[in-house]
Amino acid sequence: AYEVVADAAADNIKYLELRFSPQALARVRGFDLGEVTDWVITAVTQAIIYTLQSNYNPADFNNDLEFEVYVAGDFSTPMTAGVSLFLYRLLPNGSHRPPSGRLAPDGRRYRNMLPLDLHFLLTVWGTDASLQHTIAGWMMRVLEDTPILPAGLVNAVAPDVFNGDETVEISLADLGTEDLFHIWETIV
């Protein structure tokens, strides 16, 4: 699994569209549907953190960087240097219509996949502006070079959540003024 993760760490992150079938996974594994959705979101979040960590070379920064998933309260006591990942919005993707559900070995058809858009705020932290700018440039390059997170990468964090042919597409996008205000209200 780590070989797949190492190979996958050279892909990209922009706008995240996640396609998976929580109903099928819940049925096959016998788990609660809510648990499966949580696992998928956790797997994607941790895969993004792993992608950044695996491309990090401390010698490039003369600092030790941290890579953490944040919740709103974490912004009041931020890390000294590094990158935080904050999930601020989760929506069904209205424009992507996946094909009918897969066929089970017994011939039953699984429900359709549920395409989701996960919206993350990646924040750069540093002791001075120069370090922040260096981290930001590096982070943007890593994410731009890693547009697809393959199943092997996300399954390394949460085994067997994704089928082998499922991927996560990452897209960098601008944050609109309304979104900025919403995030600001959430974290302050």
Side-chain angles (χ1 to χ4, degrees):
Y2 283 101
E3 249 178 65
V4 174
V5 172
D7 292 342
D11 290 356
N12 172 24
I13 297 187
K14 291 185 180 186
Y15 175 84
L16 187 59
E17 180 178 315
L18 171 61
R19 297 175 214 136
F20 73 104
S21 179
Q23 296 91 347
L25 186 58
R27 190 174 323 127
V28 168
R29 298 286 182 161
F31 295 119
D32 176 74
L33 186 58
E35 274 184 315
V36 172
T37 302
D38 293 348
W39 292 339
V40 170
I41 293 168
T42 298
V44 171
T45 303
Q46 292 302 324
I48 293 169
I49 292 291
Y50 178 83
T51 299
L52 292 170
Q53 286 174 327
S54 66
N55 283 278
Y56 165 62
N57 179 2
D60 293 341
F61 299 95
N62 295 323
N63 278 280
D64 290 327
L65 302 185
E66 297 176 68
F67 302 91
E68 294 181 16
V69 178
Y70 267 32
V71 296
D74 294 330
F75 286 92
S76 62
T77 55
M79 65 181 76
T80 304
V83 178
S84 64
L85 182 68
F86 175 65
L87 177 65
Y88 70 91
R89 179 181 291 151
L90 171 65
L91 298 169
N93 181 304
S95 63
H96 178 74
R97 291 289 106 215
S100 297
R102 299 174 190 214
L103 286 178
D106 65 2
R108 289 180 301 120
R109 187 168 295 281
Y110 292 121
R111 288 182 158 178
N112 291 353
M113 288 189 247
L114 174 63
L116 295 175
D117 291 337
L118 302 175
H119 297 252
F120 291 103
L121 174 68
L122 286 97
T123 305
V124 173
W125 304 94
T127 53
D128 60 57
S130 178
L131 177 58
Q132 289 176 347
H133 297 165
T134 301
I135 296 168
W138 166 82
M139 176 188 71
M140 296 299 288
R141 173 51 41 208
V142 169
L143 299 179
E144 181 63 31
D145 290 345
T146 314
I148 304 293
L149 301 179
L153 178 62
V154 289
N155 284 337
V157 188
D160 301 323
V161 173
F162 282 77
N163 289 323
D165 61 345
E166 293 177 314
T167 61
V168 175
E169 181 182 337
I170 297 174
S171 304
L172 297 174
D174 289 331
L175 200 56
T177 305
E178 186 176 327
D179 287 333
L180 283 172
F181 284 134
H182 174 72
I183 293 169
W184 183 254
E185 289 173 346
T186 301
I187 63 175
V188 174

